[in-house]
Amino acid sequence: MGTQTRRFEMKEARLQLARELAAEAIVLLKNDRDCLPLPEGERIAVFGQAQLDTAIGGGGSGASHCEHPLQIAEELEKEGFVLAEGPKAFYEKYAQEKAAGAAESGFDMSSFEGLVASGAIYEIFGRYSAPAAEPVPAGEALETDAKTALLILTRASGGEECDRRVEQDYYLTDSEKQLAEAVCGAYEKVVLILNVNGAIDLAWIRSYPQIQAVLFMGTAGEQGAGALAEIISGRCSPSGKLSQTLALSYEDYPTAKNMSWNKDDPSNIRVYADYGLDAAANGSTGWDVSPVTVYEEDIYLGYRYFESFEKEVMFPFGHGLSYAKFALKAGEPAIADGDAVVPVTVKNISETFSGKEVVQLYLSAQADGPERPAQELKDFAKTAVLAPGEEETLTLRMPLSELAVFDEERGLYVIPGGLYTLRIGTSSDDTAAAAQIAVEEEIVVRRAVGDIGFSEANRGKIRLLHRDTEKAPGELPETALRIKAADLSAAPEGEPAYKFEETAEGAVLADVAEGRVSMEAFVAQMSVRELAVLCNGYGPGLPFGGLGKKDIPVTIKDENGEDIGYNSHPSAFPGYENPAVKRYGIYSACYKDGPASVGDTAWPTGMMLGCMFNKELLYAFGEACGYESEMQDVDAWLAPGMNLIRNPIGGRDFEYFSEDPVLAGICGTEIAKGAMENNDVSVCPKHFAVNEQETYRRGKTSKNIDAADSIISARAARELYLKPFEMVITMARPRVLMTSFNKINGTFAGGNRALCTDILRKEWGYTGVVVTDWGDMDAVVDGADAVEAGNDVVMPGGPPVIEQVLKGYEEGRVDLQAMRTAVLHLMNFVMNSRSYRKAVEERN
């Protein structure tokens, strides 16, 4: 890890990067009659409250923080546009009245600081807040002499513990419909700007030919408004691409009927009985409501569904226009270093505009074995800015192991015999064949260790989406590239089993760091109670000291009244550290949220980072966030969010990169590398795994509601929802990973041995520490079950969870080997943390 080059040390550099990220993320969805860019100095009429209250991010642990984010109206004026006075005055007055009302309400998040490390905070995050009503201007506030109107729609609904809703949220609110009707009735040229934290319905624009251009701004961070203004003026040509499919209606999404999203309406909550399943047989007993999220769409998520079943969409995955025009030409493909390699030359064929283009590489198969989607994204690359007539050759690569499918019946990843076509294009519905790979007979890639599939109680009872697919042709073309097993890169080696046969009595962690004793021998000296304490964070119920102070007198006592642990970190927020143990020279490491970084800069959210399709900028984002983390003495940056955008009303869709697992995996990997290769920090990918619904992910004990159970096939889990985690774990090697609250096929993710040990460690070779998500209330995994499964640390933990671990040990549900292994993983992270080294230096 290098720390000498600090290109984002200056705040100005980070703000410049935030602007660049936003500019490359904003997607031009439509541009009829070359509506955009607008002429310099044009008078425009701007409508929508977001012009003065621009949405920059989401809420909860993925919230974006900025006291003075750029506002759309002001940035348009800076860019030289003249805002029509009537609408401008109308919205300025409305903003003043809204601000006065907010001040009177007096809500202050700081009053909840003591709850942040516990599940109590979710009582706040989990409240649904509907989209604010749009004021509808009339008369002089509507009609002006401007030729062009900008109509801005916004969303900030949903979030942690709370999904969005369909009516009056995904679909336009009544006031938005009235506003759109008014604006389109007054202007013949309208630009629609979507300043939203997730997808909304766009089919309605077909009824308004006045809407000639549509810009998906999303939640582009504190610099987003400035980037938007530069795109509208033409100073910057848009180059973003959709990281999710925008369908013609909510009901068109294959996940629509299986999504629960309204806690206020019990009939909206999907339960086992809705699918003919037995709650008790799935381990959910004693609850009035046992929610489920059934992944009936199986492998057909997003564009994989729409392309495979030939469903019309509003805007396809990967779509995004530029002011420039480009031509693609594939070069000679090759097999090299375990990859299929396709060079593609991109030429700017426009006469006026410079710009960037994204080339996307997809795989289609005519093969034996399990059915497959029509095509799957495997790689992408983005050009530099190309002037008219200029060209650049990009190299796209697909690991040959990506030809494999997971055969559930045999528990194998295999490449069936057949013909595989690599396709290049600029969106999922605009691709052309560029290469073919012939596989003459099946190649076994690797054997699965853990079974994460349907429980025995549910096997054969879930009707998964299915289609008939093309099998291998009788004869494989001679021109196709040939591969064999020897061409594939080796699979990762599993984590070794640890042996605690020797004991180093009296050793401290520094003895391990300096090579005098092994980590196994160091851990083996600890008592069962000490191990139980370290299998927890420093959570509610433990005596908090510190909070910015150096002297921290409070401690955790053992059964003899002697000190075991305390929180030694001088700046960590309560509950976001592990206990320090003085007698063993163990100091606290610091963890901090979240996907939008640690609070210094309000960056574009994950949804928008996915729209960039730019690996270099993803790396730079990680580098900058890693720097901000290090400057706050954070050892584990609780990001990136690696779950998929499965449904357009997912409450945390803004945190996640894409509906596609490879795009999400590349995003997470580049961000992780950027953070860890340039800073003294580890990322913490989350939420592992299959956590695509916020509603009742932790249940609700006060209403006797169990945690939601994600019911999914092993193949869909592995090929889609685990895939992004696998990529970031095997390619970036983070030292911390966070599990999710939900159940997977009847077992809590944090207590799922197949997930946390068999797949994560034995198949992927992960050696770092696994922590639960932060929460001590409602239906969450038992501490002993978590440790036994390979989930090393329960966060934030505390006395009740310590007792859970001890009780589990007495009952034989967790053994000494599992507890020692858990603490060994934690100690390896702590020993290599910046906080540990600083504490040792200060003590010496």
Side-chain angles (χ1 to χ4, degrees), residues 422-487:
L422 294 177
R423 308 178 64 86
I424 60 167
T426 55
S427 75
S428 63
D429 78 339
D430 180 24
T431 64
Q436 290 185 315
I437 299 173
V439 178
E440 296 182 353
E441 59 182 25
E442 180 184 84
I443 299 173
V444 176
V445 177
R446 75 173 196 261
R447 179 175 295 278
V449 177
D451 181 8
I452 199 174
F454 294 129
S455 66
E456 286 299 325
N458 299 339
R459 292 188 190 278
K461 297 181 180 180
I462 305 297
R463 297 184 62 181
L464 299 176
L465 194 59
H466 164 74
R467 74 181 188 118
D468 294 326
T469 56
E470 289 187 80
K471 298 304 180 183
E475 293 185 9
L476 299 175
E478 291 296 327
T479 55
L481 300 170
R482 256 63 177 179
I483 66 166
K484 53 187 182 298
D487 295 320

Side-chain angles (χ1 to χ4, degrees), residues 163 255-261 268-272 274-275 277 290-297 454 458 462 464 646-647 690-697 707-713 721 742-746:
D163 294 299
T255 60
K257 65 179 181 179
N258 297 311
M259 180 81 173
S260 299
W261 42 265
N268 174 260
I269 307 303
R270 310 295 286 169
V271 297
Y272 291 102
D274 293 332
Y275 300 90
L277 305 178
S290 298
V292 296
T293 307
V294 179
Y295 288 61
E296 281 188 319
E297 75 281 2
F454 294 129
N458 299 339
I462 305 297
L464 299 176
R646 177 175 176 256
N647 185 284
V690 199
N691 177 198
E692 280 70 35
Q693 176 182 296
E694 288 297 298
T695 299
Y696 292 131
R697 61 176 184 155
D709 186 3
S710 297
I711 299 177
I712 186 171
S713 74
Y721 300 95
N742 57 285
K743 298 179 181 181
I744 303 174
N745 290 320

Side-chain angles (χ1 to χ4, degrees), residues 328-526:
L328 310 184
K329 183 179 179 181
E332 189 70 24
I335 302 296
D337 300 322
D339 294 342
V341 182
V342 181
V344 180
T345 299
V346 183
K347 184 175 183 179
N348 184 344
I349 58 173
S350 59
E351 298 180 356
T352 306
F353 292 103
S354 298
K356 295 185 174 186
E357 180 60 292
V358 173
V359 179
Q360 301 161 36
L361 180 69
Y362 292 85
L363 173 70
S364 296
Q366 294 172 259
D368 298 326
E371 65 186 272
R372 303 178 77 131
Q375 57 183 8
E376 307 163 60
L377 182 75
K378 294 302 178 183
D379 196 15
F380 60 84
K382 196 170 196 174
T383 68
V385 176
L386 299 179
E390 191 175 3
E391 64 182 39
E392 179 182 354
T393 298
L394 304 172
T395 300
L396 289 91
R397 310 181 71 95
M398 181 195 73
L400 294 176
S401 59
E402 287 295 302
L403 297 172
V405 293
F406 182 65
D407 187 324
E408 290 191 62
E409 292 185 5
R410 296 186 290 167
L412 297 174
Y413 285 89
V414 298
I415 302 175
L419 184 64
Y420 298 84
T421 302
L422 294 177
R423 308 178 64 86
I424 60 167
T426 55
S427 75
S428 63
D429 78 339
D430 180 24
T431 64
Q436 290 185 315
I437 299 173
V439 178
E440 296 182 353
E441 59 182 25
E442 180 184 84
I443 299 173
V444 176
V445 177
R446 75 173 196 261
R447 179 175 295 278
V449 177
D451 181 8
I452 199 174
F454 294 129
S455 66
E456 286 299 325
N458 299 339
R459 292 188 190 278
K461 297 181 180 180
I462 305 297
R463 297 184 62 181
L464 299 176
L465 194 59
H466 164 74
R467 74 181 188 118
D468 294 326
T469 56
E470 289 187 80
K471 298 304 180 183
E475 293 185 9
L476 299 175
E478 291 296 327
T479 55
L481 300 170
R482 256 63 177 179
I483 66 166
K484 53 187 182 298
D487 295 320
L488 276 67
S489 299
E493 295 184 2
E495 182 187 38
Y498 298 103
K499 297 180 180 180
F500 299 93
E501 297 171 347
E502 298 181 359
T503 301
E505 294 292 343
V508 295
L509 190 56
D511 292 323
V512 183
E514 295 170 13
R516 289 187 289 272
V517 301
S518 70
M519 185 64 82
E520 290 97 323
F522 170 68
V523 171
Q525 69 179 313
M526 298 179 186

